[in-house]
Amino acid sequence: SITTPITIDPKPTVDFTFANLCLNDATQFTDGSTIGSGSVNTWRWDFDGLGSSTLQNPTFTFPAAGTYDVKLVSGSGVGCLDSITKQVIINALPVADAGADQNICPGTSVQIGVAPTAGFTYSWTPTAGLSNPNIANPIATPANPTTYTVQITETATGCVNTDAMNITFNAVPTPAFTVNNTCINQITAFTDGSTIATGTIVTWAWDFDDASATSTLQNPTHGFSAAGTYQVKLVVTSNLGCKDSITTPITIDPKPTVDFTFANLCLND
């Protein structure tokens, strides 16, 4: 007879954890397998038929949001195997909406973004010109044309998405005018010389600094009430509502005081 000792080796206790569960993330899988004696030295991962790995701690990027069955088979140095399958839920990204692109006049404001949704946080960049960079729909008053980007984070999942919108500036008219006839008792003529790069100038607002005298004509006339210097202001507005102004001192000259003398008043003188 013969008696031979037989060693029954333990199989691994298989386990793993996972992190980074948002769509487009590389989900990190961390092996947690243990064994009573010996060591775990082989790993065979199956990512629901979409891919596989033999690394101890692999990453895998799932193609879509949803629930996936991930299986790990761990092996010991003597070939004892065991496995575990866990469900991994990949979360969809939140919908980020920075709102439509906007064209505004320089120096004016516009609301960007959309109405807030409960369960989400918002962060805008750049922050310059924004009433509050941490709300869904701040008021923007940019100093220059600007692209604003919003990052939205879902509180429950930590998943993040971004969107961007552009604010561009409409053309502003450049006001200018010339003046003819600047003597008192004459009708002074004003000729508009304003220009604009794109669009058209549609309104003119004149203030002659002479009591309450004004005009909305493009090329008005005005008879000043007295000689002196008047601060004449012209405000021009484009078809898109952008405006600018110019104030020019206009001097109205006095008329001469006419007189003469005479002598030698005899006939034949």
Side-chain angles (χ1 to χ4, degrees), residues 126-234:
T127 60
L130 295 182
S131 60
N132 186 338
N134 298 311
I135 62 174
N137 49 357
I139 302 298
T141 313
N144 300 289
T146 302
T147 297
Y148 285 106
T149 300
V150 64
Q151 176 178 286
I152 180 171
T153 303
E154 186 174 8
T155 306
T157 65
C159 295
V160 174
N161 204 356
T162 62
D163 191 36
M165 61 85 62
N166 299 305
I167 295 181
T168 55
F169 284 174
N170 295 317
V172 177
T174 300
F177 64 88
T178 57
V179 182
N180 287 316
N181 303 332
T182 56
C183 293
I184 192 64
N185 295 334
Q186 289 184 330
I187 298 300
T188 303
F190 294 86
T191 302
D192 172 51
S194 305
T195 58
I196 190 169
T198 58
T200 56
I201 297 172
V202 294
T203 67
W204 299 262
W206 298 84
D207 184 339
F208 299 114
D209 190 28
D210 186 16
S212 58
T214 61
S215 177
T216 57
L217 296 177
Q218 182 178 4
N219 301 303
T221 59
H222 177 65
F224 287 91
S225 58
T229 299
Y230 297 84
Q231 301 295 324
V232 177
K233 181 178 182 181
L234 169 62

Side-chain angles (χ1 to χ4, degrees), residues 4-27:
T4 301
I6 302 297
T7 300
I8 303 301
D9 295 299
K11 63 182 180 180
T13 300
V14 183
D15 195 15
F16 64 89
T17 59
F18 42 87
N20 303 336
L21 302 178
C22 299
L23 181 63
N24 300 330
D25 282 351
T27 301

Side-chain angles (χ1 to χ4, degrees), residues 12 20 54-55 61 63 74-75 81 102-103 126 202 215 222 256:
N20 303 336
T54 57
L55 297 176
T61 302
S74 296
L81 304 174
Q102 300 282 350
N103 299 314
V202 294
S215 177
H222 177 65

Side-chain angles (χ1 to χ4, degrees), residues 49-116:
L50 300 171
S52 62
S53 178
T54 57
L55 297 176
Q56 182 179 6
N57 301 305
T59 61
F60 186 76
T61 302
F62 292 92
T67 301
Y68 298 90
D69 292 326
V70 176
K71 181 178 181 180
L72 170 60
V73 179
S74 296
S76 69
V78 294
C80 296
L81 304 174
D82 205 354
S83 66
I84 191 173
T85 299
K86 291 186 177 183
Q87 285 192 330
V88 175
I89 299 174
I90 301 300
N91 299 295
L93 300 182
V95 176
D97 190 353
D101 292 343
Q102 300 282 350
N103 299 314
I104 65 172
C105 298
T108 61
S109 301
V110 66
Q111 189 167 40
I112 61 177
V114 295

